[in-house]
Structure formats: structure tokens, C-alpha cells
Amino acid sequence: MVEADGNGSLAIEVRGLTKTYGPQVVLRDLDLSLAWGDFLVVFGPNGSGKTTLIKVLATVSSPTKGEVKVAGFDLKRNPWAIRRNIGLVTHQPLLYGDLTGLENLKFHGKMFALTHLEERIEKTADLMGVSSYLGRKVGILSHGMQKRLSLARASLHRPPILLLDEPETGLDEEAQGFLDVLLAGESDAPRTVLMTTHNLDRGLALGDRVAILAQGRIAYQDSRRNLDPAEFRSAFAHYLEMGR
């Protein structure tokens, strides 16, 4: 597992984050923090900014203004250190279609200068149920199998933080179990997870904190322990209606 910045007391710290695309404001003055080991599930209607938030935290998209720290590293000053500490799963598999699954995982591992790479690939592929598909080109695999490979890629370097944008999309029931293995992390070092989803039942079952992102801001946030499920579902329905 990659070492995080010892000066960072929080896994994720966001202050006043705003992201615009031309005249469109997608995230507006957003504040958010996750302690190490937190599992936050973010719900929200389409267009609320969930994917944009993941992209900014993953250094894929630059903030228009605001401060962002991940694993104690400042987004503007040290984006590469952030990338070493995160595993990213998006709607796209982030794999090369003309390479085999094995070649993709080797490429990813070499980018992070991983030791014992073949052993890591073998173990990770087995955990994600893709061992028998490693010799095939990614481009000819089903969407579900590509998604499994993307989970293997995201976890290969054993990141302490996972950023997941609707990771269950395209996964069958068996693959959902592999996702649960990834989310759990290692027993001696539980992962910090920020996950977006539309699946209320699954999100409420997985996260120890939940939030609703609406109109570019965190409109609702609570711990699952204090949560009134009926109240939360009512709040979610309200913001979902607002987003239409």
C-alpha cells in the first residue's frame, strides 16, 4: 500500500470547491471531508455534479477555485502523489482495448513501479474473478468483464483511498461480490471510500456515512448510525424531483 503524507490528518479535505464549464456551474462552493477509514456514499440526481466531484478528486479535472487535499497532498502542488494513493473506477473502464487484460495490468503496475508485479496481478485477478480472461484483448470482452478488469486495475497498487463512480453499473450478481471484496480492503488497513451510486438500498447498506449532492452542493449528510431511512428516502426523492 502506498504511503500517504504523514502531515495529512484527513484522507480527503475539500474547501470551497467550485467547478465551472463555461457559464455552467457544476460544483459550487462545496465543502467535504473524510477521515481515514471513512466510507461515504454520495447520492444525487443526474447532473448534480457527482461524476465531476470524482474527477476533481482523482486529478482528472482541475477545480475552477477552492482547495482540495487527498491523502494529505495538495491537488495543485502534488497531483502525482494523489494518483499514487487512489484507486479510480469510473463509467469508462480506463483500459486499452487493443491490449490484453494482462498487458493492461502490467502497464498499470509498471507505472507505479510495483514490485513482485506478476504475483500481484495473479492475486488481484483471482480476487476479481478475471484470471481466465487475462489473455484476451479488452476490446472484445463484455462490458461487465471490462468492469471487473477495471476493478482489478484500480486495486492493483493497493491504494488506501478508493474513488468510485457508480461502480456497480454493468456488474452481475457474482461480480457484485468481487466489488465488496475490493471495498473491504485489507483487515489491517481498511480503505477510505468515496462512492457515488443511484442504488439506495445498496448504498445505505455499504456506507457508514451518506450524503446527497444537489445543485453542486452537499445538501444532506449524516452517519448511517444516526440515519432515519424514511427521512433520508424522502429527502432524496425531494432532491431528485428538483433535478428534473
Side-chain angles (χ1 to χ4, degrees):
M1 187 175 289
V2 179
E3 290 294 329
D5 182 359
N7 295 321
S9 59
L10 293 172
I12 295 175
E13 186 175 8
V14 178
R15 295 287 179 265
L17 171 61
T18 295
K19 176 64 181 179
T20 62
Y21 294 100
Q24 182 182 12
V25 182
V26 181
L27 299 174
R28 59 181 77 232
D29 201 27
L30 185 147
D31 294 335
L32 182 68
S33 63
L34 273 75
W36 289 103
D38 277 357
F39 191 143
L40 174 66
V41 179
V42 178
F43 301 91
N46 291 330
S48 60
K50 300 188 303 297
T51 294
T52 299
L53 174 61
I54 294 286
K55 285 182 176 180
V56 170
L57 294 174
T59 77
V60 175
S61 182
S62 299
T64 303
K65 68 176 183 179
E67 298 181 3
V68 177
K69 289 185 178 181
V70 179
F73 296 103
D74 185 270
L75 178 69
K76 295 177 181 177
R77 292 198 295 265
N78 213 338
W80 174 244
I82 289 176
R83 292 177 199 131
R84 289 184 61 84
N85 279 276
I86 64 171
L88 174 65
V89 177
T90 69
H91 297 283
Q92 303 300 319
L94 303 180
L95 299 166
Y96 295 100
D98 57 344
L99 299 181
T100 66
L102 179 60
E103 289 168 338
N104 269 280
L105 294 181
K106 282 186 174 180
F107 177 78
H108 184 78
K110 287 177 180 177
M111 279 203 311
F112 288 91
L114 300 181
T115 58
H116 309 293
L117 181 55
E118 291 187 2
E119 180 182 336
R120 281 204 194 197
I121 290 175
E122 181 179 356
K123 180 178 179 181
T124 304
D126 183 58
L127 283 173
M128 293 298 115
V130 296
S131 298
S132 59
Y133 295 87
L134 290 183
R136 302 184 190 182
K137 288 190 175 182
V138 167
I140 66 171
L141 297 177
S142 68
H143 175 71
M145 194 53 61
Q146 289 184 16
K147 197 64 174 281
R148 288 196 197 190
L149 274 168
S150 74
L151 294 174
R153 171 198 48 75
S155 61
L156 186 63
H157 59 294
R158 299 174 186 166
I161 299 172
L162 290 177
L163 303 174
L164 311 174
D165 192 14
E166 298 181 15
E168 72 279 4
T169 303
L171 295 179
D172 57 27
E173 187 174 344
E174 181 186 21
Q176 294 277 2
F178 296 129
L179 174 60
D180 291 344
V181 171
L182 173 62
L183 294 174
E186 300 172 28
S187 58
D188 60 337
R191 287 194 166 105
T192 302
V193 180
L194 192 155
M195 182 178 91
T196 74
T197 185
H198 285 294
N199 189 325
L200 277 176
D201 290 334
R202 185 162 173 78
L204 291 174
L206 287 172
D208 51 39
R209 289 170 55 200
V210 295
I212 297 174
L213 184 61
Q215 298 180 333
R217 290 192 176 101
I218 299 295
Y220 181 107
Q221 188 172 185
D222 206 344
S223 70
R224 187 175 62 176
R225 183 171 50 221
N226 299 328
L227 192 69
D228 180 325
E231 178 186 325
F232 180 81
R233 290 175 185 276
S234 176
F236 180 70
H238 169 71
Y239 289 112
L240 193 63
E241 187 64 30
M242 286 178 58
R244 289 175 180 170

